[in-house]
Amino acid sequence: MKALIPEWAKNYGEFWRAIRIRNLWFIKLRYFAVISLLLFLTAGEFLLNFQFSKLQKIAISIVTISIFSYNIILYKLRAYIKCDISSFNSLHLSLIQMILDLIALLVLVYYTGIIESPLYLFFIFHMIIGSLILPAYVVYIIVCIICFTLSFLTIMQNFGVIETHLISGLYDVRIPHTMAYDILSLITFTAMIFISVYLANNIVRQLYKREQQLRETLQRLDEAEKAKQKYTIGIIHEVKTPVTAIKSIIDLILNNFLGDINSEIRDKLKRAQIRTDETLQMLNNILRLSRLKLLDIRSTEEIDIWELLSGLIDKLNETIKAKAIDLRIKDLRKEKKIIKSDIILLELAFSNLIANSVKYVKKEGIIEILLNESNDKLWVEICDNGIGIPKEDLPNIFKQFYRASNVKRSEHEGSGLGLALVKEIIERLGGNIFVESPSRLAGDMPGTCFKVSLEFNFQPKSYDIFQISPDNYINDKSNLEKYLE
Amino acid sequence: MALIAIIDDDPDILDSSSIVLKSQGHNIVTADNPHDGYKIVVEQKPDLIILDVMMDEPDDGFYLAQKFRKEGIKTPILMYTSVSKATGMEYDKSEMVPVEDFVEKPISPSELINKVNNLLKAKEVK
């Protein structure tokens, strides 16, 4: 039974999915065949003036009822059949469908005149469909059987061995034709069916190959992107090491561990300290972005968003007090539904947004954080009356390394990575972020408003390329044991 | 005061950490690779070990920490990390990482002094 599966389709999920879909498609088409046959009987008799014999009527009716009933059975059966190579699967179901259809068609052709019935052309259509799912050799075997059976029946009919069931009314006068005509018809039919099957088979094969190539290319692209991110992480770590060393030396001097220094040196060193901090922050942001691109979120947990936001505000409390910022946090939620998400990433995103507001409001500015919920989403709104974002910059602020024109002019330093990171995180967590400027708090300055929507129940992807079990870690280090012994 | 071993492959970090801790009256021994680090710990039996993650080295700080614990050296370990928590590469105390506390680089002198004092105090109580 295994031989039924084309060699290029083993363990190929997409192939199985296609087979299942096609099975369903054929089942639906078959109802159309039932209706057509009923029309053939009724409309044929009344509109086209066919005169079916009693035997023909019975035969066509039986075929119609059979098709209808086995179609219902196939439909029910389909639900229980799995795409498992080793057992009875969807492909076998397809084969059974095809054999049943061919038998029904053969009976129909037989009772409508064999070679003199136009219905025998339907064999070609059936075999094209067969080529879409079955391996070439199975299709060719079936085609051979069809051609042989049809030829045999035609010749038998010609010799008068079997009865001819012509549809009366199809021909004005039946011109008795020669054996040569029958043979020519059969040869034409055989050629047509073989060529059609050959072409269909080739096209399908190529299509699957292309699809697989596309899939492989995509995978390679994904791997290349990951390699790039790993490379970036490596470089940033290399750069970060000397910068942290510089910072620790500056801190050492500024904290008078090497004795007192004069105020001019202190001022310059303080500048150096600030610039080093900026550099570190920038490097950390690049690291975060790269990590994020590499990382598939592992697990989610239930998060109290109110607690999370309050915690973040507490961390910024010093600056908030120093700038005398009026920070309000309002909870407009009615149900207070629990949100499931990745707490570290969510904290990172919101801390960036709140820190931005704190940074860009003037003294005694206002920041308002609103919490709300709709049917399936949690909404967090962070509004301020700070310097705002010029209209022409709005479409770009979520891009990496982009800094709004008014920010570039201001005294604030930054890398232009913060908002790109926020967007990346929020979207990874199945949410969306929108920006408005001027905000509803606009006063002297336009202010900015960020609206974040988050799904209540975010489902992370199930795999993670960074998952290394602790056992592996220790095993990998086995040769080092020798070195240390 | 206490004898503290600092193991880090960055000479500037070794130097500045030593200066900070010396100012608190501690005695310092340093090593700039895990091999020497292992040696100074075994030979001098410090009260506290400051150990860098040293992710660049094939035999990194985690491994050294594990080795100390395997051999029954229970000296508290303060680990220097250069990876930020927010990047997702955070470590926590575990069998894999048998250390008492972490300091994330860049190290601020006051944080270092605090953590060292806390660990030494905790050791005394034990």
Side-chain angles (χ1 to χ4, degrees), chain A residues 389-398 402-407:
Chain A
I389 300 164
K391 211 176 173 184
E392 64 271 19
D393 290 324
L394 277 177
N396 295 321
I397 56 155
F398 291 116
Y402 190 88
R403 304 192 66 217
S405 48
N406 58 337
V407 174

Side-chain angles (χ1 to χ4, degrees), chain A residues 191-224:
Chain A
M192 261 169 79
I193 199 168
F194 269 101
I195 292 168
S196 307
V197 164
Y198 175 77
L199 289 178
N201 236 311
N202 262 312
I203 290 169
V204 170
R205 229 183 139 93
Q206 273 174 27
L207 212 67
Y208 272 111
K209 268 190 188 160
R210 286 281 151 77
E211 211 173 300
Q212 214 151 12
Q213 273 170 2
L214 201 69
R215 214 164 279 277
E216 278 163 20
T217 313
L218 266 174
Q219 210 173 348
R220 272 208 294 276
L221 259 174
D222 189 51
E223 277 161 19

Side-chain angles (χ1 to χ4, degrees), chain A residues 216-446:
Chain A
E216 278 163 20
T217 313
L218 266 174
Q219 210 173 348
R220 272 208 294 276
L221 259 174
D222 189 51
E223 277 161 19
E225 170 70 17
K226 286 193 164 150
K228 192 181 94 188
Q229 298 303 340
K230 280 184 195 165
Y231 179 70
T232 311
I233 289 176
I235 288 182
I236 297 294
H237 270 297
E238 288 297 311
V239 177
K240 219 183 135 180
T241 310
V243 178
T244 50
I246 295 170
K247 185 170 157 57
S248 62
I249 295 169
I250 296 173
D251 283 350
L252 198 69
I253 304 169
L254 277 174
N255 284 298
N256 293 343
F257 281 102
L258 302 176
D260 286 337
I261 44 173
N262 73 37
S263 64
E264 206 174 333
I265 296 175
R266 177 172 297 277
D267 282 349
K268 291 296 167 220
L269 269 181
K270 269 204 172 144
R271 276 307 297 166
Q273 191 184 35
I274 290 169
R275 302 310 298 251
T276 325
D277 284 347
E278 272 163 26
T279 315
L280 276 173
Q281 213 178 359
M282 209 186 306
L283 294 176
N284 279 336
N285 272 335
I286 299 171
L287 271 184
R288 282 172 188 152
L289 258 181
S290 293
R291 282 288 305 173
L292 202 64
K293 283 186 177 151
L294 274 180
L295 206 68
D296 294 300
I297 293 149
R298 291 165 210 204
S299 57
T300 58
E301 55 191 303
E302 293 185 349
I303 295 169
D304 182 344
I305 191 81
W306 177 268
E307 203 182 279
L308 185 143
L309 291 171
S310 314
L312 292 175
I313 294 165
D314 280 347
K315 279 187 195 162
L316 290 164
N317 218 2
E318 241 173 77
T319 334
I320 292 168
K321 269 187 187 156
K323 282 178 97 168
I325 294 168
D326 177 9
L327 195 147
R328 314 157 185 165
I329 170 161
K330 288 181 190 163
D331 196 345
L332 305 175
R333 294 176 299 169
K334 286 195 184 94
E335 289 180 57
K336 294 200 172 41
K337 277 186 253 180
I338 295 283
I339 180 162
K340 271 181 127 180
S341 198
D342 184 303
I343 192 158
I344 294 172
L345 291 179
L346 215 54
E347 256 185 13
L348 187 59
F350 283 117
S351 77
N352 255 291
L353 287 178
I354 299 172
N356 255 349
S357 280
V358 169
K359 192 161 155 190
Y360 294 122
V361 294
K362 286 270 155 70
K363 267 203 157 183
E364 291 171 9
I366 304 168
I367 299 173
E368 197 171 76
I369 301 171
L370 290 183
L371 273 173
N372 212 338
E373 61 192 359
S374 61
N375 271 342
D376 52 344
K377 277 178 180 144
L378 171 80
W379 288 88
V380 181
E381 201 180 303
I382 299 166
C383 275
D384 63 50
N385 63 350
I387 63 171
I389 300 164
K391 211 176 173 184
E392 64 271 19
D393 290 324
L394 277 177
N396 295 321
I397 56 155
F398 291 116
K399 289 180 186 161
Q400 280 185 36
F401 298 108
Y402 190 88
R403 304 192 66 217
S405 48
N406 58 337
V407 174
K408 279 185 226 155
R409 284 193 301 273
S410 82
E411 70 271 32
H412 302 288
E413 306 288 349
S415 59
L417 278 170
L419 287 175
L421 182 72
V422 172
K423 189 177 163 73
E424 180 95 31
I425 292 174
I426 297 294
E427 286 180 355
R428 250 189 207 215
L429 297 175
N432 274 307
I433 181 163
F434 311 96
V435 62
E436 275 170 22
S437 182
S439 76
R440 55 185 164 74
L441 297 173
D444 298 341
M445 289 192 299

Side-chain angles (χ1 to χ4, degrees), chain A residues 237 240-241 244-245 247-249 251-252 255 257 280 288 291 344 348 470 473 477 480-481 483-485, chain B residues 10 12-13 16 19-20 23 35 58-60 62-63 66-67 70 82-83 86-87 89-90 96 106 109 113:
Chain A
H237 270 297
K240 219 183 135 180
T241 310
T244 50
K247 185 170 157 57
S248 62
I249 295 169
D251 283 350
L252 198 69
N255 284 298
F257 281 102
L280 276 173
R288 282 172 188 152
R291 282 288 305 173
I344 294 172
L348 187 59
Y473 188 85
K477 302 270 168 181
L480 293 158
E481 195 112 18
Y483 166 66
L484 278 167
E485 288 306 332
Chain B
D10 188 324
D12 285 316
I13 298 284
S16 43
I19 292 172
V20 170
S23 79
H35 188 71
D59 40 352
D60 61 26
F62 292 140
Y63 182 70
Q66 284 170 16
K67 188 167 171 61
K70 241 187 249 169
S82 63
V83 273
T87 59
M89 279 179 75
E90 59 176 317
M96 269 283 295
I113 292 168

